[in-house]
Amino acid sequence: MFLLAFETSCDDTSIAIFRERDLIAMKTRSQIREHNETKWVVPEVAARLHANNIFGVLEEVLAEAKVTLEEIDVIACTEFPGLMPSLLVGISVAKTLAKTLNKPYIPIDHIEAHMFANFIGRETNEIPFPSICLTVSGGHNELYLWKSIFEREKIGETLDDSAGEAFD
């Protein structure tokens, strides 16, 4: 089974292809240079850059994976939270492909995705619940009580996003 995943929640256009649980290709087009000119991410500029980049990144990732769109079984895309103009670019492309190719579509929660990154290279039973999880990325600097794999409670967050921006 091949999964095609889109991520356009802020300032990078990323697309990945997985075979079962294995990442077989991923391409990211950074917008850092453009946003350095304005000293921060301007949502409308980010969205325009995603729109300009997304099809080129898609072609690159398909070529690297040696997979065609017709071979894709499932399409996923970050839907929330994030910069709405940026998210809409990825959502529009992903949902259009899913509809056109008659493939299932999976909406992705950006914060859950950060948390689930803890499972990369691990089995599900290797992370004990409950756990404490810190997400540090852009505007999402939050501390969670991770009660079970799909249950979390926010127990703290920063007042600004400087820690995540420095990390990015």
Side-chain angles (χ1 to χ4, degrees), residues 21 118-131 146 149:
R21 292 183 62 172
N118 288 288
F119 290 106
I120 295 173
R122 296 181 179 154
E123 295 299 319
T124 306
N125 63 359
E126 292 183 65
I127 296 181
F129 293 104
S131 290
W146 200 0
I149 194 162

Side-chain angles (χ1 to χ4, degrees), residues 111-156:
I111 301 305
E112 273 185 1
H114 281 291
M115 294 173 77
F116 288 166
N118 288 288
F119 290 106
I120 295 173
R122 296 181 179 154
E123 295 299 319
T124 306
N125 63 359
E126 292 183 65
I127 296 181
F129 293 104
S131 290
I132 298 293
C133 185
L134 173 65
T135 61
V136 180
S137 176
H140 305 290
N141 306 292
E142 301 160 341
L143 194 61
Y144 287 92
L145 172 59
W146 200 0
K147 297 177 181 181
S148 66
I149 194 162
F150 292 112
E151 184 182 7
R152 68 178 193 253
E153 175 186 340
K154 188 189 310 180
I155 57 176

Side-chain angles (χ1 to χ4, degrees):
M1 179 183 83
F2 289 107
L3 178 132
L4 175 65
F6 292 81
E7 208 298 310
T8 61
S9 64
C10 189
D11 57 347
D12 291 333
T13 306
S14 292
I15 304 175
I17 297 177
F18 293 83
R19 182 185 305 120
E20 304 304 328
R21 292 183 62 172
D22 298 323
L23 175 66
I24 59 171
M26 184 174 91
K27 293 292 180 182
T28 299
R29 188 80 40 89
S30 175
Q31 299 178 2
I32 293 288
R33 188 177 38 117
E34 292 87 347
H35 292 300
N36 279 341
E37 293 176 21
T38 56
K39 307 296 184 221
W40 63 75
V41 176
V42 176
E44 291 75 16
V45 172
R48 197 170 314 116
L49 291 168
H50 285 301
N52 291 340
N53 293 331
I54 198 162
F55 292 105
V57 175
L58 179 58
E59 287 177 10
E60 290 171 15
V61 80
L62 289 167
E64 182 179 313
K66 297 178 178 58
V67 172
T68 66
L69 282 174
E70 291 73 21
E71 293 175 283
I72 297 297
D73 299 294
V74 179
I75 297 174
C77 185
T78 303
E79 282 203 359
F80 54 89
L83 299 175
M84 190 49 64
S86 293
L87 288 166
L88 288 172
V89 174
I91 292 167
S92 297
V93 172
K95 283 188 171 183
T96 299
L97 286 172
K99 184 76 170 169
T100 303
L101 298 168
N102 197 30
K103 306 292 181 176
Y105 174 82
I106 301 171
I108 302 297
D109 178 313
H110 186 160
I111 301 305
E112 273 185 1
H114 281 291
M115 294 173 77
F116 288 166
N118 288 288
F119 290 106
I120 295 173
R122 296 181 179 154
E123 295 299 319
T124 306
N125 63 359
E126 292 183 65
I127 296 181
F129 293 104
S131 290
I132 298 293
C133 185
L134 173 65
T135 61
V136 180
S137 176
H140 305 290
N141 306 292
E142 301 160 341
L143 194 61
Y144 287 92
L145 172 59
W146 200 0
K147 297 177 181 181
S148 66
I149 194 162
F150 292 112
E151 184 182 7
R152 68 178 193 253
E153 175 186 340
K154 188 189 310 180
I155 57 176
E157 62 187 312
T158 57
L159 296 176
D160 64 39
D161 65 358
S162 59
E165 291 299 332
F167 180 73
D168 283 349

